Amino acid sequence: MEQLRTLDPDMLRGSLVKTYRRCGKPTCHCTTEKGHEGHSLSVSMPGRSPIMVYVSLKNQERVRQALENYQTAQRIIEDISTVNREALVKKEIL
């Protein structure tokens, strides 16, 4: 529980995905190639298409850290759940 209290509260659920977009300029390289590289936060929602949020270059590292913080919190919660489940099993056996 102490580990949860010390976590950075900036958390995001989802994935940072690489995207390619066309700018619309007829002479740009993106008309014949992959397009301009960018990144988006992709968040899947039950019963819906994933939500895609554009992430600017200056915010990419902060988003990566927030995603990592979320995963760390999930691991800690799973560890707590495992300890509690094991305690429950021991009490039921006695």
Side-chain angles (χ1 to χ4, degrees), residues 5-77:
R5 286 187 200 99
T6 62
L7 280 179
D8 185 336
D10 287 342
M11 295 185 197
L12 286 170
R13 182 176 68 82
S15 301
L16 191 61
V17 295
K18 194 180 292 188
T19 56
Y20 296 92
R21 298 172 52 168
R22 300 203 190 303
C23 67
K25 296 178 185 174
T27 57
C28 184
H29 74 87
C30 71
T31 60
T32 58
E33 297 173 18
K34 262 187 172 174
H36 299 280
E37 183 179 309
H39 287 83
S40 294
L41 174 69
S42 175
V43 182
S44 54
M45 305 298 282
R48 295 178 49 186
S49 297
I51 295 171
M52 300 290 281
V53 179
Y54 173 75
V55 178
S56 66
L57 184 60
K58 77 175 194 171
N59 287 325
Q60 286 178 21
E61 190 52 42
R62 186 169 181 189
V63 168
R64 280 188 182 95
Q65 185 61 54
L67 290 166
E68 186 177 312
N69 293 344
Y70 180 84
Q71 291 175 354
T72 300
Q74 286 291 100
R75 282 192 297 273
I76 293 168
I77 291 168

